[in-house]
Amino acid sequence: MSAPSGHKEGAIDKWVFYPALIVTLVMGVYFVYDPAGSNAILGQLHKFTTNELGWFFLLATVAAVVFCLVLAMGRMGGVVLGDPGQKPAFSTFTWIGLIFTSGTGGSLLYLGSVEWIWIMQAPPFGVEPGSADAARWASAYGMFHWGPSAWAWYICCAIPMAYFFYIRKQKNMKVSEFVRPVLGNYADGFAGHLCNFLYMFGMIGGVMTSLALGTPLISGVIVYLAGWESSNPFLDTFVIFLWTFIPLVALIFGLQRGVSVLSEWNVRADIVMLIAILVCAPTAFILNQSVDGLGLLLQNFIYMSFVTDVLRETGFPQAWTVFYFSWWVVYALPFGLFIAKISKGRTIREVVAGGLIFGSLGCMVFYMVLPGFGIDLQMTGEADLMAAMSEGGRGKVVTTMLSHLPMSSLFIFAFGAITLISYITGHCAVGYSLAAATQEELRDDQDPAKWNVAFWLILAGAVSLGLYFINPESLKPLQTVSILTGFPLVFVIWILCQSFMKAIKQDFAEGLPAPDGQNRIWLELDAQGNGVKEPAAKPAAEPGAVAVPAE
C-alpha cells in the first residue's frame, strides 16, 4: 500500500515532536544546573499532589475500574476491534505476554523483592513496624498496587484507541486525534497540542525514571557475580547501553518478529524463575503467606481503594497508593496505545480480561513469591534484609535474599538477566508508543518509522546517562515531574473515554449490530462514516481468539 497522499512516509508531526524534545532537554539542563533548588520546588509540588489531591486520584482510579467493568459486562463487550472476519494479530499466549511485559517492566521484579521492607518498616493504619501484622499488610498492599486498579488505567485508554484505529480507521496515533469527538476543532489548537505534550513528556520522564531505578539493581547483580566491591561508571554505562540498544534491535525487526519473540521468552523465563524460587524456598510458608495476604486484600479492597488515613496522619496512602495511582496514570496513554496496537481482532471483553485478569494475576504472583520468601528470611532471623537495605540498597537485598537458595549464583544471574529483559520489553513499548504518537500518519498495518523509534530510545538513554554522570541525584526531579503530569493526564484520559462513547453512539445511532454465534459484534463503517447495521462477514471463531484458545 502506498503512503497516504499529502504525507511523506514516516513524516513526523512537528507540533508533537519538537515541544517534547525541547522541554525535556531544557528541564534536564536545569536539573543538572540547580539540583538542590529544583528538588526543593518539585518536592513541594509533589507533596501537594499526593496530599491535597490524594482523594482525586483515588476516586479517578475507582472510576477507571468501573468503566472497564461496565464495558466488559455490557453488550459492548462483544465488539470486535477489527474488520469483519479479522483474526487476532497474535496468538493468545503471545498477546497476553505482550500485555503483561509491556505494562510491568523490570520494576515488578525489584519492587516485588524490596517493597515489603519499606511497608513493614512504616506500615499503614498504626500497625506496629516489623510485626506480623505489618508483614500481612505488606503482602496485601503489594498485590493491591499492581492489581486491577493499575491495569484499569491502561485498558480504559487501550479500548478507545483501538476503536478509533481499527473501526474508524484513524490514520495516526496522536492523542489529539483520539479526543477529537469531544474537543472538536480545538483538537487542532492549543488544547490538542497540550494533550499531545502531556502524553509525550510524562512518558519521557517515566522511561528515564525506570533507567535510573533499574540500573543500580542490575549493576549490583553483576558486581556480586564478578566478586567486585562496588559498581562503577563504566558498568552503569554498559547497562544503560543494553537498555537502549536491545530494544532498538527488537523494534527494528518489528512487533511480530522482534518484540513478540522477546516478550514470549520473557514470560517463559518469569514462570520458570518463580516456580524455581517457590520450590527451593520455604514453599509452605510462601503459599500460606500469599493466601493470607490475598484474603486480606479481598476483604479490604474497597477500603484500600478509598482510604486517605487523614485523621491518623500516617501518610501511608499518600506515599504509596496515591503515588502508585498517579504513576499508572502517567504510563496509561502510551501503554494503552501499545496494547491497542497489538489487540487487533480482539473483543473489548477480551482486552479487559487481558489486563484486569491476566495482567493483574501475573503481577500478583510476583508479589506472592518474592515478598513471601523475603518475609520468611526476615521473620525467622535467617537474614536481616532490612539491614541489607540500609547498608547496600535494593541490589544488596536481592543478592542477599537469593544467596539463601541452592545454586545461588545461578539464581542471582537469572534474576538479573530476567530483570534486564523485562525492562527491555517495557522499553520497547515506550519507544514504539513515543514514535507512533509523533508520526504524522500511521496505517493499522504499519509500524512507526525505524529512525523515529531509534531517536526516542537513544534520546532517553543519552539524556539519562548524561544526567547520571553529571549528578545522579538529578534524575529524581525528573521522576517527580513525570508523576506531577498525572493530574492533568487524568482529564485527558477522561476526555478520551468520553470521545469513545460519543463516537460509537454517533457511528451506530440505531444501535449495535446483532452478535454472531460466538457472541461477537462485528462493526463496519460505510464510505460516509456511518455504521453498517449488518456487516457482510460474520465468520466462525478463528484460531488465536479466546473463544477457541490458540495454545
Side-chain angles (χ1 to χ4, degrees):
M1 183 182 293
S2 61
S5 59
H7 295 282
K8 183 180 178 181
E9 185 84 22
I12 61 169
D13 185 333
K14 298 179 178 60
W15 284 102
V16 182
F17 187 93
Y18 288 112
L21 171 62
I22 293 170
V23 173
T24 300
L25 295 176
V26 170
M27 294 290 283
V29 171
Y30 172 59
F31 295 151
V32 170
Y33 176 75
D34 186 15
S38 60
N39 259 319
I41 294 173
L42 292 172
Q44 291 298 317
L45 290 173
H46 186 262
K47 182 178 180 181
F48 175 81
T49 300
T50 55
N51 286 271
E52 304 302 323
L53 298 177
W55 61 271
F56 173 80
F57 282 104
L58 296 178
L59 291 178
T61 301
V62 171
V65 175
V66 171
F67 179 77
C68 292
L69 293 178
V70 169
L71 287 180
M73 293 187 294
R75 186 161 180 257
M76 203 178 293
V79 169
V80 180
L81 300 169
D83 298 325
Q86 180 73 59
K87 293 192 299 183
F90 299 93
S91 71
T92 301
F93 179 82
T94 300
W95 177 67
I96 291 174
L98 283 168
I99 290 179
F100 175 71
T101 54
S102 69
T104 58
S107 300
L108 179 63
L109 279 83
Y110 83 75
L111 285 173
S113 301
V114 303
E115 184 179 309
W116 63 271
I117 296 177
W118 293 320
I119 295 178
M120 280 191 66
Q121 290 174 331
F125 317 132
V127 174
E128 181 183 354
S131 64
D133 283 338
R136 295 179 68 226
W137 281 111
S139 295
Y141 258 106
M143 289 185 275
F144 172 69
H145 289 146
W146 290 78
S149 300
W151 286 92
W153 281 113
Y154 298 167
I155 301 305
C156 75
C157 293
I159 291 172
M161 289 175 169
Y163 179 83
F164 286 116
F165 205 53
Y166 295 125
I167 305 300
R168 279 203 165 189
K169 307 300 182 183
Q170 184 170 301
K171 295 299 182 182
N172 62 55
M173 303 190 82
K174 293 183 292 185
V175 177
S176 58
E177 290 300 320
F178 291 127
V179 297
R180 184 175 291 277
V182 169
L183 293 186
N185 291 334
Y186 291 107
D188 298 318
F190 176 77
H193 296 324
L194 180 61
C195 291
N196 292 328
F197 171 77
L198 289 170
Y199 165 88
M200 293 292 295
F201 185 68
M203 189 70 266
I204 293 169
V207 69
M208 292 183 183
T209 297
S210 296
L211 286 166
L213 293 174
T215 297
L217 176 62
I218 298 171
S219 296
V221 170
I222 297 175
V223 165
Y224 177 88
L225 294 173
W228 299 335
E229 292 184 2
S230 62
S231 183
N232 58 72
F234 296 104
L235 179 59
D236 292 335
T237 302
F238 176 70
V239 172
I240 293 177
F241 171 78
L242 291 177
W243 275 26
T244 304
F245 179 73
I246 297 178
L248 180 59
V249 173
L251 285 167
I252 285 175
F253 281 102
L255 284 179
Q256 288 281 3
R257 292 185 298 160
V259 182
S260 63
V261 173
L262 193 63
S263 174
E264 284 188 28
W265 282 104
N266 187 9
V267 173
R268 291 188 175 99
D270 286 338
I271 294 172
V272 171
M273 182 185 69
L274 289 176
I275 292 175
I277 292 176
L278 181 63
V279 171
C280 297
T283 306
F285 177 86
I286 293 175
L287 294 177
N288 281 311
Q289 175 70 9
S290 300
V291 171
D292 183 89
L294 180 60
L296 191 63
L297 167 62
L298 295 175
Q299 181 184 16
N300 295 276
F301 181 84
I302 295 178
Y303 179 60
M304 293 161 74
S305 298
F306 287 96
V307 65
T308 61
D309 215 25
V310 66
L311 293 179
R312 276 189 289 249
E313 296 184 336
T314 61
F316 181 89
Q318 292 74 24
W320 286 102
T321 305
V322 175
F323 171 80
Y324 260 122
F325 287 177
S326 59
W327 197 14
W328 302 138
V329 172
V330 170
Y331 280 102
L333 285 167
F335 284 167
L337 188 152
F338 184 80
I339 293 172
K341 192 67 172 67
I342 65 174
S343 296
K344 185 176 183 179
R346 297 286 171 179
T347 65
I348 289 177
R349 189 172 293 114
E350 286 176 309
V351 176
V352 173
L356 268 64
I357 297 178
F358 295 110
S360 296
L361 286 177
C363 293
M364 292 167 71
V365 169
F366 276 91
Y367 266 88
M368 291 177 178
V369 175
L370 297 177
F373 182 31
I375 290 171
D376 177 76
L377 293 175
Q378 183 70 40
M379 301 300 281
T380 59
E382 288 189 52
D384 191 348
L385 298 179
M386 293 184 180
M389 173 70 84
S390 61
E391 294 170 2
R394 299 183 296 272
K396 182 67 172 177
V397 171
V398 171
T399 54
T400 301
M401 180 175 70
L402 297 179
S403 66
H404 286 75
L405 294 171
M407 298 182 293
S408 57
S409 295
L410 178 60
F411 272 101
I412 293 172
F413 170 79
F415 190 93
I418 294 171
T419 301
L420 177 62
I421 295 173
S422 298
Y423 271 120
I424 287 169
T425 51
H427 211 37
C428 285
V430 170
Y432 189 96
S433 298
L434 287 171
T438 58
Q439 197 151 308
E440 189 68 38
E441 291 201 352
L442 193 70
R443 302 186 302 272
D444 61 6
D445 60 346
Q446 182 184 23
D447 290 333
K450 293 179 173 58
W451 75 265
N452 197 3
V453 175
F455 175 84
W456 289 108
L457 288 174
I458 293 172
L459 175 69
V463 174
S464 298
L465 192 60
L467 293 175
Y468 178 80
F469 277 117
I470 296 172
N471 181 3
E473 297 300 312
S474 63
L475 286 169
K476 292 184 178 179
L478 197 59
Q479 176 188 10
T480 304
V481 169
S482 70
I483 300 304
L484 291 176
T485 59
F487 178 66
L489 278 172
V490 170
F491 295 97
V492 176
I493 295 171
W494 179 79
I495 295 173
L496 172 66
C497 295
Q498 291 298 312
S499 295
F500 164 65
M501 299 302 295
K502 183 176 182 179
I504 200 169
K505 288 179 180 178
Q506 289 177 344
D507 297 341
F508 298 91
E510 297 181 4
L512 297 175
D516 64 8
Q518 301 292 330
N519 202 30
R520 293 171 301 176
I521 300 175
W522 303 92
L523 301 184
E524 186 178 4
L525 302 180
D526 60 23
Q528 289 72 42
N530 300 315
V532 177
K533 186 63 177 177
E534 294 294 337
K538 295 171 77 173
E542 297 284 354
V546 168
V548 181
E551 302 193 12

